Amino acid sequence: MKPQDKIQSDYDVVIVGGGIVGLSLACELAATDFSVAVVERNELKAVADEPECRVSAINRFALQRFKQAGVWDSPLVRRACVFDKMFVWDQTGAGQIQFDSVELGVPELGVIIENYVLQHILLETVRSADNISYLCPEEISTIDYQPNVGGQSVSTVLLSSGMQLSASLLVGADGANSKVREVASIQREQQSYQQQGLVCNVATAEGHQNTAWQCFMPTGPLAFLPLYNGYSSIVWTLDEDLAQAYMALDDEAFKRVLAEESEYKLGEITDVSQRFLFPLAHGHATDYVRAGLALVGDAAHSIHPLAGQGANLGIADAATLADVICTAKKAGRQWSALHTLSKYQRQRKGANRVMEMSMTGFKELFGQDNALLSELRNAGLSLVDHLPAIKYRIIKQALGA
Ligand SMILES: Cc1cc2nc3c(=O)[nH]c(=O)nc-3n(C[C@H](O)[C@H](O)[C@H](O)COP(=O)(O)OP(=O)(O)OC[C@H]3O[C@@H](n4cnc5c(N)ncnc54)[C@H](O)[C@@H]3O)c2cc1C
């Protein structure tokens, strides 16, 4: 069936945004009896040989959901790098903690994958599903959101091409500046960290050893995430001026600073790609749902990238929302009504809020250049490393359990 044969004007679910989270939701709804449209404004670029800098650490929960939905059978999965260890240390002292999949009795802690490659993988499932139309490139021109028409909510979405769609459930998976959130008049508390995330890919003399490395330093955390080609993707949180100063360095000088600041844990830096900056902010929508409308992923919440959990939380939102509406539909209940969608909000909002607050707390705790705090932090890290019960609880949360 050609993609255009699947295009219709009335859908059960219209998902605005075909990022990782919007496509994850579509995959969850593939092969159900919901008719689904995904509207995405940007076409994905073709998969290139060299790895991209924007990557995500995908946890075990998300991987399990992808495997259940048949998403993880794609040949592109070769671009995912399994990591089975995590090593965290504090640059200001001797504190360190290690997590090992063998110790935890799991085959891996997660995978690192380029964001756009993951989107390609998800898109394969979306394109092959008979019940999903993928409309791209298409921009939302207007949304007429009617919360309750004759007992059922209906939204009408006008696209840039002139096409008009109606939806019983409109899902905002359209990122931090969500238009869907705006038309539903849902407020978002947003705060900038006044910091930037510097990202690039580097080769290191000692290789990555399938380990996710995280160094806490007073200027902000620095992560080395292992890539499929032996390189590591770095995410370095920096105050604005320092970020600009590091961007201005030539490659040789940057390699020296990076090796020095990471205390040569992976040896010398032998190669570096182009560098990019991303402004860092955290925010949370006051509500995730209205009658006939739901927000998922960054449209609902965004957090500090220090523990690599943003996309994972969004994938968990998508899984929960799909479970809630599928269960209600099977039981013959009003699956897009506010009381049904509120179950999704109850299951996800608290968990996302806890993660957001933990990340902000971590950032504050490790961002203090204070000798006493530094001693406490270092003692705490090493102590937790020797307390298997607490260590296990921390890692279970990171794995998405
Ligand atoms: C430096 C950095 C590192 C990170 N590292 C990690 C990590 O290791 N692990 C992790 O889990 N998370 C990580 N994150 C967070 C993660 O990248 C985001 O949480 C995640 O990508 C959000 O996905 P999303 O699909 O909700 O939103 P987005 O990625 O913002 O996607 C929204 C989509 O909607 C489309 N769209 C928007 N408006 C419209 C419209 N009007 N019409 C049509 N389409 C529209 C956009 O084109 C886009 O494709 C990191 C973030 C940063 C900044």
Side-chain angles (χ1 to χ4, degrees), residues 40-46 120 123 127 134 136-138:
E40 168 56 47
R41 72 172 152 221
N42 296 325
E43 274 184 287
L44 267 183
K45 65 170 200 168
H120 270 287
L123 205 46
R127 284 194 201 278
Y134 179 65
C136 175
E138 279 283 11

Side-chain angles (χ1 to χ4, degrees), residues 349-390:
K349 196 171 172 207
N352 291 339
R353 183 66 94 179
V354 167
M355 187 62 86
E356 183 195 2
M357 281 166 17
S358 319
M359 291 310 108
T360 303
F362 259 114
K363 189 203 154 279
E364 295 300 322
L365 177 66
F366 284 91
Q368 303 285 334
D369 201 3
N370 169 307
L372 178 64
L373 259 183
S374 163
E375 260 182 54
L376 283 173
R377 264 187 337 240
N378 279 287
L381 270 184
S382 299
L383 179 68
V384 171
D385 200 27
H386 291 98
L387 294 174
I390 297 180

Side-chain angles (χ1 to χ4, degrees), residues 43 72 103 158 174 317 334 393:
E43 274 184 287
W72 218 241
E103 229 178 89
L158 182 65
D174 47 350
D317 292 348
Q334 290 181 314
R393 272 179 63 181

